[in-house]
């Protein structure tokens, strides 16, 4: 009796959570995979049929379907944003830790405010307060300086710049905090030794600071790469809101999947795109997990 | 030098927020004036009064609070026992189930939103446009995070403490309720706050699922208030944005340190 009790006990503890996750997370994913093999769309809402891999072929092999260019843009977006973010956060965190620095706590608190505001609120404030063609600050300033206002979110090049600025604004606080924490774990005597050897700032950064903080910040960097890769909110809220599209055609893979489901109602196709993205994410997680066992989740 | 750099950095960083504050306090027709300044010439709370009087701001606020609190209760009451189970108990496939949860967590919820919407709008289920529907979606999404975050903390509590309690005659319930939970309080609080913030900051599920005015949350309300190129009122929108942000801002800044360790230890960024 006691043995049986011991075997049953874990069931009471974990089953409620597993049921909830199964219904809300797992089952919709399985259903998405199922829909991806059908021709479900606005005309075939009930009487859809299985069409095999047609949606996958359209996504992967028909170049003007838009998926391939969304993948390329997503990679470009991730690389550009990660590089800028790492460089800027590294410089700012180092300055915060400069020996002449005073009021560090105050500056840090003020600088992480963007992180503390609901993301969608900040993005909408940027859209209206900064980029709006009439009362956005950028155009008000341009006009008062005698220039013509610009459509910041309309052409792809300007939109890419604007989106990147907003992403950096949202993401830098987290990275600054992470690097700042890592910098404080470095033993100061390394720098004293380097000073005796009269090493330059660049030498110290590349030979002491970066190698030493690398393992400390690695998990946070990996998480941020995933977050950047999966970015939806910034692109959707700034340029793709239904009824208020700005004309830029930039899509990350996630906004592309969303658009095909909720705007153009190609449910089967959108589900195929979602499934492909899921496979990409799971395989990178597994590969990464194998190389740096458990790093991101320990 | 260093100070002027940081003062300008802080200023540049806060421009969107300062502008929103300034415009929300200004009388509403000054928004296209060229001589804009960050300190409005005639500060007035008029926009805030209009927001609460002429718009259902209080209803939106209340709906958001209800969603956040009920999600918190539901997700903690399933994820605390589960985290304990994964940390302390032996059962079949424990490791594979846990790794499965980690993989599920990499899946962006938005990609299965259509499937979820189709399931929930099914005539026999009919959970679209109900608070209950959104609560179970939020709780389900946050439960994996909760389990991962709290399991790690449970792992760090020495098992000897529980064994000692058992030798003193405490049963399972007493051991967990009176010994373990108080010890795990920091992790539970951080997880709980993350759930609250997640619900408060979520908009895409709420604008998709909450179509009836009575169920509008702050996110849906704010989304509908947006000032476009030709419509809407930017000062009212700015006021609503600030009112929406303040609760999270207060929570966030007051538990800054725990937040950061809670995030990095759990390994998930909200």
């Amino acid at each position: 009796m006691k043995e049986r009790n011991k075997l049953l006990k874990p069931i009471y503890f974990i089953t409620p959570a597993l049921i909830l996750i199964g219904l809300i997370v797992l089952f919709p994913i399985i259903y998405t995979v199922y829909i991806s093999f059908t021709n479900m769309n606005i005309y075939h809402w009930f009487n859809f049929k299985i069409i095999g891999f047609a949606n996958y072929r359209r996504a992967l092999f028909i170049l003007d379907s838009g998926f391939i260019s969304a993948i390329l843009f997503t990679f470009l977006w991730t690389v550009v944003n990660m590089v800028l973010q790492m460089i800027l956060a590294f410089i700012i965190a180092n300055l915060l830790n400069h020996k002449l620095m005073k009021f560090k706590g105050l500056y840090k608190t003020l600088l992480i405010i963007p992180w503390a505001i609901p993301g969608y609120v900040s993005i909408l404030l940027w859209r209206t307060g900064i980029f709006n063609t009439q009362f956005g600050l950028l155009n008000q300033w341009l006009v008062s300086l005698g220039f013509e206002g610009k459509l910041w979110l309309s052409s792809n090049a300007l939109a890419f710049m604007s989106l990147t600025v907003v992403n950096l604004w949202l993401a830098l606080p987290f990275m600054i905090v992470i690097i700042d924490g890592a910098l404080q774990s470095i033993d100061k005597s390394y720098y004293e030794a380097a000073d005796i050897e009269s090493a330059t700032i660049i030498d110290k950064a590349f030979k002491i600071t970066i190698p030493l903080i690398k393992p400390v910040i690695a998990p946070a960097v990996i998480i941020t790469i995933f977050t950047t890769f999966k970015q939806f909110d910034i692109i959707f809220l700034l340029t793709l809101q239904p009824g208020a599209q700005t004309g830029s055609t930039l899509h990350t893979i996630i906004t592309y999947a969303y658009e095909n489901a909720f705007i153009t109602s190609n449910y089967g196709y959108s589900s195929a795109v979602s499934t492909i993205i899921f496979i990409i994410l799971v395989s990178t997680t597994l590969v990464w997990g194998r190389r740096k066992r458990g790093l991101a989740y320990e | 030098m260093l100070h002027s750099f940081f003062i300008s950095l802080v200023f540049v960083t806060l421009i969107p927020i300062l502008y929103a504050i300034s415009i929300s306090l200004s009388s509403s027709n000054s928004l296209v004036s060229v001589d804009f300044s960050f300190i409005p010439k005639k500060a007035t709370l008029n926009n805030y009064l209009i927001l609460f009087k002429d718009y259902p701001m209080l209803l939106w606020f209340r709906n958001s609070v209800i969603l956040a609190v009920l999600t918190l209760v539901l997700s903690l009451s399933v994820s605390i026992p589960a985290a304990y189970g994964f940390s302390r108990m032996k059962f079949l496939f424990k490791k594979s189930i846990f790794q499965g949860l980690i993989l599920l967590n990499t899946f962006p919820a938005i990609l299965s939103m259509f499937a979820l919407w189709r399931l929930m709008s099914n005539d026999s289920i009919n959970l679209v446009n109900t608070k209950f529907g959104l609560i179970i979606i939020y709780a389900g999404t946050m439960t994996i995070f909760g389990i991962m975050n709290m399991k790690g903390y449970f792992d760090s509590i020495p098992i000897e403490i529980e064994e000692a309690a058992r030798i003193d005659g405490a049963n399972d319930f007493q051991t967990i309720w009176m010994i373990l939970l108080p010890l795990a309080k920091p992790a539970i609080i951080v997880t709980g706050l993350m759930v609250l913030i997640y619900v408060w900051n979520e908009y895409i599920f709420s604008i998709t699922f909450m179509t009836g005015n009575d169920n509008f949350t702050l996110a849906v309300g704010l989304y509908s208030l947006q000032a476009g190129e030709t419509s809407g009122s930017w000062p009212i929108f700015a006021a609503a944005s600030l009112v929406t942000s303040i609760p999270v801002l207060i929570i966030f800044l007051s538990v800054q340190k725990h937040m950061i360790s809670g995030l990095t230890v759990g390994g998930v960024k909200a």
Side-chain angles (χ1 to χ4, degrees), chain A residues 87-272:
Chain A
I87 295 174
L88 290 172
F90 183 76
I91 295 172
I92 295 170
N94 269 290
L95 290 175
L96 273 175
N97 281 285
H98 195 275
K99 29 184 191 296
L100 299 175
M101 189 69 195
K102 279 179 206 145
F103 312 118
K104 181 184 160 190
L106 177 67
Y107 286 129
K108 234 170 87 179
T109 305
L110 289 171
L111 286 176
I112 64 167
I113 284 179
W115 184 13
I117 291 179
Y120 76 93
V121 175
S122 322
I123 297 167
L124 294 179
L125 283 178
W126 272 88
R127 179 175 173 136
T128 321
I130 308 293
F131 297 129
N132 185 288
T133 49
Q134 306 157 42
F135 41 89
L137 274 188
L138 284 176
N139 279 359
Q140 287 193 32
W141 283 335
L142 279 182
V143 168
S144 66
L145 290 173
F147 295 99
E148 243 175 69
K150 283 189 186 313
L151 300 168
W152 294 98
L153 300 170
S154 296
S155 71
N156 284 353
L158 268 185
F160 185 77
M161 219 185 69
S162 310
L163 295 167
T164 304
V165 169
V166 176
N167 185 57
L168 289 175
W169 188 85
L170 287 167
L172 272 175
F174 175 71
M175 201 45 83
I176 293 173
V177 167
I178 294 294
I179 296 183
D180 175 61
L183 288 178
Q184 278 158 32
S185 68
I186 300 178
D187 189 343
K188 296 283 171 292
S189 59
Y190 289 112
Y191 295 107
E192 284 154 19
D195 282 333
I196 294 168
E197 306 275 325
S198 60
T200 62
I201 295 181
I202 307 284
D203 276 338
K204 280 191 259 184
F206 279 94
K207 300 217 168 101
I208 302 174
T209 317
I210 293 176
L212 284 175
I213 63 171
K214 231 178 175 171
V216 187
I217 63 170
V221 174
I222 291 174
I223 294 162
T224 313
I225 293 174
F226 275 103
T227 324
T228 315
F229 191 78
K230 295 194 282 191
Q231 184 53 248
F232 171 83
D233 301 344
I234 299 174
I235 296 120
F236 173 74
L237 288 173
L238 284 184
T239 64
L240 296 171
Q241 281 184 46
Q245 287 94 337
T246 56
S248 123
T249 56
L250 300 175
H251 269 293
T252 62
I253 44 180
I254 312 263
T255 63
Y256 181 73
Y258 176 90
E259 173 136 314
N260 276 288
F262 288 93
I263 312 291
T264 54
S265 306
N266 290 312
Y267 308 120
Y269 178 64
S270 165
S271 299

Side-chain angles (χ1 to χ4, degrees), chain A residues 9-10 13-14 16-18 20-21 23-29 31-32 35 40 45-46 48 92 95-96 98 100-103 107 109-121 124-130 132-137 140-141 144 169-171 174 177-178 223 227 230 232-233 236-237 241-242 254 257-258 261-262 267 271 274 277-278 281-282 285-286 293 296-298, chain B residues 2-3 5-7 9-10 13-17 19-20 31-34 36 38 74 78 81-82 84-86 89-91 97 101-108 110-120 136-137 139-141 143-144 147-148 172 176 200-204 207-208 218-219 222-223 226-229 234 237-238 241 244-245 248-249 252-253 256 260 263-265 267-269:
Chain A
K9 220 166 62 185
F13 279 81
I14 64 162
L18 292 187
L20 187 62
I21 293 167
L23 287 176
I24 298 298
V25 185
L26 184 58
F27 187 66
I29 294 176
Y31 193 44
T32 302
I35 297 172
M40 189 192 292
W45 181 250
F46 290 114
F48 55 86
I92 295 170
L95 290 175
L96 273 175
H98 195 275
L100 299 175
M101 189 69 195
K102 279 179 206 145
F103 312 118
Y107 286 129
T109 305
L110 289 171
L111 286 176
I112 64 167
I113 284 179
W115 184 13
I117 291 179
Y120 76 93
V121 175
L124 294 179
L125 283 178
W126 272 88
R127 179 175 173 136
T128 321
I130 308 293
N132 185 288
T133 49
Q134 306 157 42
F135 41 89
L137 274 188
Q140 287 193 32
W141 283 335
S144 66
W169 188 85
L170 287 167
F174 175 71
V177 167
I178 294 294
I223 294 162
T227 324
K230 295 194 282 191
F232 171 83
D233 301 344
F236 173 74
L237 288 173
Q241 281 184 46
I254 312 263
Y258 176 90
F262 288 93
Y267 308 120
S271 299
S274 299
I277 301 171
F278 190 38
L281 289 172
V282 166
T285 311
L286 288 176
R293 192 150 266 298
Y297 294 100
E298 283 295 313
Chain B
L2 210 52
H3 280 289
F5 171 76
F6 273 101
I7 290 167
L9 184 67
V10 165
T13 306
L14 296 183
I15 280 178
I17 298 157
Y19 183 33
L31 63 96
V32 260
S33 72
V34 185
F36 164 79
F38 278 104
L74 179 58
V78 299
Y84 178 83
F86 278 110
M89 296 170 164
K90 284 199 188 85
F91 50 90
I97 297 176
L101 291 183
I102 291 174
L103 282 187
L104 281 184
N105 210 35
T106 61
F107 190 83
I110 196 170
L111 291 181
S112 55
M113 189 166 71
F114 169 72
L116 201 53
W117 188 81
R118 190 181 161 99
L119 291 167
M120 286 198 162
I136 56 171
I137 293 176
T141 313
T143 295
I144 300 181
I147 294 174
M148 284 173 14
D172 275 349
I176 294 174
W200 204 262
N201 292 1
E202 202 291 319
Y203 72 96
I204 191 74
I207 62 176
T208 310
L218 282 171
L222 208 59
Y223 190 79
Q226 272 183 89
E229 296 287 333
W234 167 217
F237 175 74
S241 300
T244 304
S245 307
V248 198
L249 197 67
F252 193 94
L253 292 180
Q256 220 186 97
I260 289 154
L263 279 169
T264 44
V265 171
V268 180
K269 192 183 174 230

